[in-house]
Each structure stands twice: as C-alpha cells, then as structure tokens.
Amino acid sequence: MSTPDLLVIVVLAALLFGPDKLPEFIRNTTAFLRKVREFSEQAKEEVRAELGPEFKDFEFEDLHPRTFVRKRLLDNDDLGIGELRDGIDEIRSALDPASEPAAPQEPRAPVDLRKRPAADGPSGERPPFDADAT
C-alpha cells in the first residue's frame, strides 16, 4: 500500500467511527487478527506434530503445485530428471546425427481431439458406423 492509500483509509475510518471510537475499533481489530494468527499457527503445529519428526520442517506453502514442482523437481534433482533429459538428447542425436541437441520448445496450442478429418479412409469416405461395436 502506498502512503496516499493509507491516508485515505485512516480518514475514512475516522469519519465512519468517529475520533472517540476509532482507538477502540483499532484495538479490537488488532486483537482479532492476533487471535486468527495464533489459531492458524496452532493448527499448523498440530499437523506437524501428527505427521511426526520427519516432517518437522514441513511448510504448507510447499503443497501449492507450482512450489512443489519447483522445489522437488526443478531445483532439487533427486529423481534424476536431468539424467533422463540428457539420455533423451543422446538418443535423438544417435538416431539423427545431423540434428543438434533439442532446444527448449515453446508450449504448443492445445489440440482438440474431438475434431477429425473429413476423410478417414483411403477412398476419402468415412468407414461405416457399427452400433454394436460401440
């Protein structure tokens, strides 16, 4: 928040609650926020205690898919993903010696698998529909 935004909030609060009730409102609000934080910390500690000592450094933010992938797969290569990538590049170069190592590709547009070409058969006609086969 910028300083002008904070100033506008303070002025609005003073107008809404009045100068005599504003300190009490601020005290109540900060006490409520403090209780919510304490409750969430207690809940986190209970979960960590139930998980056991091997999860003592467990962070709930690690459960977010992006964070999990970044920490577990990209930064920390315990699973050997880098070796797999190198192996795939070696196989590609062995199959096609003129090719260079694969550069990272841009993501492709999603393909709609429900769309089919109009002509499926060699003669350009669709095969007959068999209701018993479906």
Side-chain angles (χ1 to χ4, degrees), residues 2-134:
S2 65
T3 306
D5 293 339
L6 191 60
L7 187 61
V8 168
I9 290 173
V10 168
V11 169
L12 284 176
L15 291 174
L16 288 174
F17 298 105
D20 53 336
K21 291 185 181 179
L22 187 60
E24 181 184 346
F25 175 74
I26 292 173
R27 272 193 301 273
N28 291 340
T29 303
T30 54
F32 174 73
L33 290 175
R34 197 173 303 122
K35 286 181 183 179
V36 168
R37 284 187 191 137
E38 288 173 9
F39 176 74
S40 73
E41 287 301 319
Q42 287 175 353
K44 286 180 182 181
E45 290 304 318
E46 286 180 19
V47 169
R48 285 186 185 114
E50 292 294 324
L51 288 174
E54 59 270 4
F55 290 99
K56 67 180 177 186
D57 58 347
F58 174 73
E59 292 296 327
F60 287 90
E61 292 80 21
D62 293 345
L63 296 177
H64 191 282
R66 277 194 187 139
T67 307
F68 180 83
V69 168
R70 183 175 32 82
K71 283 182 88 174
R72 302 288 184 243
L73 298 179
L74 300 178
D75 292 346
N76 187 1
D77 195 17
D78 291 341
L79 300 175
I81 292 178
E83 293 173 17
L84 290 174
R85 247 186 243 129
D86 295 341
I88 290 172
D89 289 341
E90 288 176 21
I91 291 171
R92 283 184 182 155
S93 63
L95 293 175
D96 187 13
S99 69
E100 297 179 13
Q105 298 178 349
E106 292 184 21
R108 290 189 254 170
V111 177
D112 189 1
L113 298 177
R114 294 174 291 183
K115 292 183 181 178
R116 295 214 232 156
D120 288 344
S123 64
E125 297 177 9
R126 288 187 177 263
F129 178 73
D130 187 4
D132 294 331
T134 56

